[in-house]
Amino acid sequence: MAAVKAPSNQNTNLMTEGSIVKNLLLFALPLILGNLLQQMYNTADSIIVGNFVGSNALAAVGSSGSPIYLLIGFSQGVAVGAGVVISQYLGAGDHKETREAVHTSLAIAVLMGLVLTIGGVACCRALLLYFGRVLFSVVYNMTAGILNAAGNSRRSLVYLAAASVTNIVLDLVLIAGLKMGVAGAAIATDLSQLVSCVLSLRFLMKTDDACHVKLSGIRPHRSMAGRIIRVGLP
């Protein structure tokens, strides 16, 4: 069996090296902060819509969250499955299989995002503005899963923070400034998700480690896709 060789990128942190407690804390803290930032999306929308539009609009924004997060939950589950598979190959030092798993994961995310976006717009007319961001959200969740699998949870936190700030600023501009109401909140959320999606993909395309992404390589490998789905579906 070949010796395990750590990826060259210093942003990749292997749990098999150094202090376990320290590595776990450094890895978990950004995830905890990331969960708090995720809550800022609806909180910011609710506060700004409630103050500048009215109670009916506030009710509309609040009631739309649950069905959207229900669908996003599927993509988060698959992202967890992808992270498990990718981290196993990273730990084994198998860069070829790691790259195949990364590109397959992104292919699954794109396909799932397209299906959820088209299905959401077709079936949920009242929520179609929000469903416009589902593809970006699914791809971001998958890239975050890839980064987390490499031990780089801080990077996904930075991109999530950028998206949260973008969402708040756009909420103020579109709702308070341009008086676009609930539509403004939806557009702000869509664009902020696009920001996190683009930033995380850009990082994976620029990194020189085993998780490097080439757009031309994003395609589903049947056996790898099956393994990811088997882990992520439950």
Side-chain angles (χ1 to χ4, degrees):
M1 182 176 178
V4 176
K5 185 178 180 180
S8 61
N9 193 314
Q10 62 180 357
N11 290 314
T12 299
N13 302 315
L14 297 180
M15 292 294 181
T16 54
E17 299 175 356
S19 168
I20 294 177
V21 173
K22 179 182 177 180
N23 285 337
L24 284 175
L25 290 175
L26 290 176
F27 180 75
L29 186 58
L31 297 180
I32 295 170
L33 295 176
N35 285 331
L36 294 176
L37 287 176
Q38 287 279 14
Q39 299 304 315
M40 284 182 62
Y41 276 97
N42 256 11
T43 302
D45 288 344
S46 298
I47 292 173
I48 297 171
V49 168
N51 279 280
F52 291 98
V53 184
S55 58
N56 288 337
L58 175 60
V61 170
S63 63
S64 67
S66 295
I68 290 171
Y69 291 133
L70 174 64
L71 294 179
I72 294 300
F74 287 103
S75 71
Q76 292 174 332
V78 176
V80 170
V84 170
V85 173
I86 292 168
S87 63
Q88 289 174 341
Y89 288 127
L90 280 172
D94 192 336
H95 290 191
K96 179 179 180 296
E97 293 295 327
T98 298
R99 290 191 177 96
E100 184 174 305
V102 166
H103 287 86
T104 298
S105 300
L106 288 173
I108 292 173
V110 171
L111 291 173
M112 179 178 287
L114 289 173
V115 169
L116 291 177
T117 299
I118 295 171
V121 171
C123 301
C124 302
R125 183 177 178 183
L127 300 176
L128 60 86
L129 280 172
Y130 279 98
F131 274 109
R133 74 177 169 94
V134 170
L135 174 60
F136 307 139
S137 181
V138 172
V139 173
Y140 166 75
N141 282 324
M142 187 60 77
T143 57
I146 293 170
L147 290 169
N148 292 340
N152 194 356
S153 57
R154 287 173 293 180
R155 182 67 59 169
S156 55
L157 173 64
V158 169
Y159 298 147
L160 184 58
S164 297
V165 171
T166 301
N167 183 57
I168 294 172
V169 172
L170 289 176
D171 272 344
L172 292 171
V173 172
L174 298 178
I175 299 171
L178 299 179
K179 310 298 183 185
M180 294 180 65
V182 175
I187 294 171
T189 304
D190 291 349
L191 292 177
S192 62
Q193 288 286 349
L194 176 61
V195 168
S196 60
C197 175
V198 170
L199 289 176
S200 55
L201 266 179
R202 180 174 175 271
F203 175 79
L204 289 176
M205 291 170 64
K206 292 182 66 176
T207 187
D208 60 355
D209 63 14
C211 293
H212 173 71
V213 168
K214 293 182 179 179
L215 292 180
S216 59
I218 298 178
R219 61 185 184 276
H221 299 268
R222 182 176 298 179
S223 59
M224 187 66 71
R227 182 174 182 184
I228 291 171
I229 292 172
R230 282 195 301 271
V231 176
L233 188 60

